[in-house]
Amino acid sequence: MWDNEVGASKAAARFWCDKIRDGARVLCLATGNTPTAFYKEWTASMQQDSVVASLTTFNLDEYWGIPAGHPGSFRQYMELNLFKPLGLQSDQIHFLPSSLPRAEDTEWDICQRYEEEIRRAGGIDLCLLGIGANGHIGFNEPGSAADGGTHLVALTEKTRRSNQTAFEGPPPERALTMGLKTIMTSREIVLLAFGAQKSKAIHEAFFGPMSEACPASVLQRHPSVTAFLDREAAHHLPAYRS
Ligand code: GLP
């Protein structure tokens, strides 16, 4: 736990870069307001590092039903905050699309292909997660099955409202997301959460019952999760309750 977001982001980026220098190559990445400072720190630490060329990335999720390149898309967020500044090449990057790439595809085909690409890359070494105020990870909303693979989801109103700012009109109603099972196959997980609006979800995730009502609670079963929290997000945890 750190006093503020900056301290926690710096520590998380140091931890993350050490893991990469120790051999983590296949990375799962998150979007949202939470990891932006983390991405800056990571970029500053590795911009000139030859190890960057050996990385493979998979993003957790993408909105469904918006044109490719839409400014509100997670792909655009990643281009701006990490891919361009760090110098990742397009053949290193894997992303769920925001619409059917070919008329003969179905959403199911796309999700199965993504799972297959992760398998072919050797599985995820290191996975970055944020958390929604309702305990969602990726776009696995409350009610998501712990054994679910990559799939199409209907976003809750709460999640749509939180993500409104990236869109001029109403935010998308659906998204493709890596499933909880896929996330749990990661060898190591790093979770970031900042701000009082995350404190309840953090408490439920790590100290509540394991339940579909809080998708992040599935992480209690993972052998290697490290959470980087600011004081506000940690507020409800027994060790930090003030
Ligand atoms: C988003 C993403 C999640 C993210 C979460 C929290 O919609 N799908 O991967 O962790 O919601 O977002 P933020 O960091 O902006 O609070």
Side-chain angles (χ1 to χ4, degrees), residues 29-35 60-61 63 74 129-133 136-140 159 162-163 177 192 194 197-198:
L29 302 175
T31 52
N33 295 319
T34 306
L60 277 170
D61 46 13
Y63 292 109
F74 287 158
L129 296 178
I131 186 168
H136 74 249
I137 50 177
F139 265 138
N140 292 282
T159 299
S162 325
N163 294 6
T177 184
L192 308 180
F194 310 132
Q197 73 281 10
K198 301 292 172 73

Coordinates of all heavy atoms in Angstrom, one line a residue, residues 29-35 60-61 63 74 129-133 136-140 159 162-163 177 192 194 197-198, ligand 1:
L29 N -2.5 -7.1 -20.8 CA -2.5 -5.7 -20.5 C -3.9 -5.2 -20.3 O -4.8 -5.6 -20.9 CB -1.8 -4.9 -21.6 CG -0.3 -5.3 -21.8 CD1 0.2 -4.5 -23.0 CD2 0.5 -5.1 -20.6
A30 N -4.0 -4.2 -19.4 CA -5.3 -3.6 -19.1 C -5.4 -2.1 -19.5 O -4.4 -1.5 -19.7 CB -5.5 -3.7 -17.5
T31 N -6.6 -1.7 -19.6 CA -6.8 -0.2 -20.0 C -7.5 0.5 -18.8 O -7.6 -0.1 -17.7 CB -7.7 -0.1 -21.2 OG1 -8.9 -0.9 -21.0 CG2 -7.0 -0.6 -22.5
G32 N -8.0 1.7 -19.0 CA -8.7 2.4 -18.0 C -7.8 3.6 -17.4 O -6.7 3.7 -17.9
N33 N -8.4 4.3 -16.5 CA -7.6 5.5 -16.0 C -6.5 4.9 -15.1 O -5.4 5.5 -15.0 CB -8.5 6.3 -15.1 CG -9.6 7.0 -15.9 OD1 -9.3 7.5 -17.0 ND2 -10.8 7.1 -15.5
T34 N -6.7 3.8 -14.4 CA -5.8 3.3 -13.4 C -4.4 3.1 -13.9 O -3.4 3.6 -13.3 CB -6.4 2.0 -12.8 OG1 -7.7 2.3 -12.3 CG2 -5.5 1.5 -11.7
P35 N -4.1 2.4 -15.1 CA -2.7 2.1 -15.4 C -2.0 3.2 -16.2 O -0.8 2.9 -16.6 CB -2.9 0.8 -16.3 CG -4.2 0.8 -16.8 CD -5.1 1.7 -16.0
L60 N -6.7 -7.3 -22.5 CA -7.8 -8.0 -21.9 C -9.1 -7.9 -22.6 O -9.9 -8.9 -22.6 CB -8.1 -7.3 -20.5 CG -7.2 -7.7 -19.3 CD1 -7.5 -6.8 -18.2 CD2 -7.5 -9.2 -18.9
D61 N -9.4 -6.8 -23.2 CA -10.8 -6.6 -23.7 C -10.9 -5.4 -24.7 O -9.9 -4.6 -24.9 CB -11.7 -6.3 -22.5 CG -11.2 -5.3 -21.5 OD1 -10.2 -4.6 -21.8 OD2 -11.7 -5.2 -20.4
Y63 N -14.2 -2.9 -26.6 CA -15.6 -2.6 -26.9 C -16.0 -3.3 -28.2 O -15.2 -3.5 -29.1 CB -15.9 -1.1 -27.0 CG -15.7 -0.4 -25.8 CD1 -14.6 0.5 -25.6 CD2 -16.6 -0.6 -24.7 CE1 -14.5 1.2 -24.4 CE2 -16.4 0.1 -23.5 CZ -15.4 1.0 -23.4 OH -15.2 1.7 -22.2
F74 N -10.2 0.8 -26.8 CA -9.1 0.4 -25.9 C -7.8 0.3 -26.8 O -6.7 0.6 -26.3 CB -9.4 -0.9 -25.2 CG -10.4 -0.8 -24.1 CD1 -11.0 -1.9 -23.6 CD2 -10.6 0.5 -23.5 CE1 -12.0 -1.8 -22.6 CE2 -11.5 0.6 -22.4 CZ -12.2 -0.5 -22.0
L129 N -3.9 -6.2 -14.2 CA -5.4 -6.0 -14.0 C -5.7 -4.7 -13.3 O -4.9 -4.3 -12.4 CB -6.0 -7.1 -13.2 CG -6.0 -8.5 -13.7 CD1 -6.6 -9.4 -12.6 CD2 -6.7 -8.6 -15.0
G130 N -6.8 -4.0 -13.7 CA -7.4 -3.0 -12.9 C -8.6 -3.7 -12.3 O -8.8 -4.9 -12.4
I131 N -9.5 -2.9 -11.7 CA -10.7 -3.5 -11.1 C -11.8 -2.5 -11.2 O -11.6 -1.3 -11.0 CB -10.5 -4.0 -9.7 CG1 -11.7 -4.7 -9.1 CG2 -10.1 -2.8 -8.8 CD1 -11.5 -5.5 -7.8
G132 N -13.0 -2.9 -11.6 CA -14.1 -2.0 -11.6 C -14.7 -1.8 -10.2 O -14.5 -2.6 -9.4
A133 N -15.5 -0.7 -10.0 CA -16.1 -0.5 -8.7 C -17.0 -1.6 -8.3 O -17.3 -1.8 -7.2 CB -16.8 0.8 -8.7
H136 N -15.5 -5.9 -11.3 CA -15.2 -6.6 -12.6 C -13.7 -6.5 -12.9 O -13.0 -5.6 -12.5 CB -16.0 -6.1 -13.7 CG -15.7 -4.7 -14.3 ND1 -16.5 -3.6 -14.1 CD2 -14.6 -4.3 -15.0 CE1 -15.9 -2.6 -14.7 NE2 -14.8 -3.0 -15.3
I137 N -13.2 -7.6 -13.6 CA -11.8 -7.6 -14.1 C -11.9 -7.9 -15.6 O -12.7 -8.7 -16.0 CB -10.9 -8.5 -13.3 CG1 -11.5 -9.9 -13.2 CG2 -10.5 -8.0 -12.0 CD1 -10.5 -10.9 -12.5
G138 N -11.1 -7.2 -16.4 CA -11.3 -7.2 -17.8 C -12.7 -6.6 -18.0 O -13.0 -5.6 -17.3
F139 N -13.6 -7.3 -18.7 CA -15.0 -6.9 -18.7 C -15.9 -8.0 -18.2 O -17.0 -8.2 -18.6 CB -15.5 -6.5 -20.1 CG -15.4 -5.0 -20.3 CD1 -14.9 -4.5 -21.5 CD2 -15.8 -4.1 -19.4 CE1 -14.9 -3.1 -21.8 CE2 -15.8 -2.7 -19.6 CZ -15.3 -2.2 -20.8
N140 N -15.3 -8.8 -17.3 CA -16.1 -9.9 -16.6 C -16.9 -9.3 -15.6 O -16.5 -9.1 -14.4 CB -15.1 -11.0 -16.1 CG -14.4 -11.7 -17.2 OD1 -15.0 -12.6 -17.8 ND2 -13.2 -11.3 -17.5
T159 N -21.0 0.1 -15.3 CA -19.7 0.1 -16.1 C -19.8 1.1 -17.2 O -18.9 1.8 -17.5 CB -19.4 -1.3 -16.6 OG1 -19.3 -2.2 -15.4 CG2 -18.2 -1.4 -17.4
S162 N -19.4 4.6 -15.9 CA -18.0 4.9 -15.5 C -17.1 5.1 -16.8 O -16.1 5.8 -16.7 CB -17.3 3.8 -14.8 OG -18.2 3.1 -13.9
N163 N -17.4 4.5 -17.9 CA -16.6 4.6 -19.1 C -17.1 5.6 -20.1 O -16.6 5.8 -21.2 CB -16.5 3.3 -19.8 CG -15.7 2.3 -18.9 OD1 -15.4 2.6 -17.8 ND2 -15.4 1.1 -19.4
T177 N -14.2 -9.9 -24.1 CA -13.3 -9.9 -23.0 C -12.6 -11.3 -22.8 O -13.3 -12.3 -23.0 CB -13.9 -9.5 -21.6 OG1 -12.9 -9.4 -20.6 CG2 -15.0 -10.4 -21.2
L192 N -3.8 -3.3 -10.0 CA -3.7 -1.9 -9.5 C -5.0 -1.4 -9.1 O -6.0 -1.7 -9.9 CB -3.1 -1.0 -10.6 CG -1.9 -1.4 -11.4 CD1 -1.6 -0.3 -12.5 CD2 -0.7 -1.5 -10.4
F194 N -6.8 2.3 -7.4 CA -6.6 3.6 -6.7 C -7.9 4.3 -6.5 O -8.8 4.2 -7.3 CB -5.7 4.5 -7.6 CG -4.5 3.9 -8.1 CD1 -4.1 3.9 -9.4 CD2 -3.6 3.2 -7.2 CE1 -3.0 3.3 -9.9 CE2 -2.5 2.5 -7.7 CZ -2.1 2.6 -9.1
Q197 N -13.3 4.9 -4.5 CA -14.4 4.2 -5.2 C -14.1 2.7 -5.5 O -14.9 2.0 -5.9 CB -14.8 4.9 -6.6 CG -13.8 4.8 -7.7 CD -12.6 5.8 -7.5 OE1 -12.4 6.4 -6.5 NE2 -11.8 5.9 -8.6
K198 N -12.8 2.4 -5.3 CA -12.4 1.0 -5.5 C -12.3 0.2 -4.2 O -12.1 -1.0 -4.2 CB -11.1 0.9 -6.2 CG -11.0 1.6 -7.6 CD -11.9 0.8 -8.6 CE -12.0 1.6 -9.9 NZ -10.8 1.6 -10.7
Ligands
GLP1 C1 -12.6 -0.9 -17.6 C2 -11.8 -2.1 -18.1 C3 -11.1 -2.8 -17.0 C4 -10.6 -1.8 -16.0 C5 -11.8 -1.2 -15.3 C6 -11.5 0.0 -14.4 O1 -13.7 -0.7 -18.2 N1 -12.5 -3.0 -18.9 O2 -10.0 -3.6 -17.5 O3 -9.8 -2.3 -15.0 O4 -12.9 -0.9 -16.2 O5 -11.3 1.2 -15.1 P1 -10.6 2.4 -14.4 O6 -9.2 2.1 -14.3 O7 -10.8 3.5 -15.4 O8 -11.3 2.7 -13.1

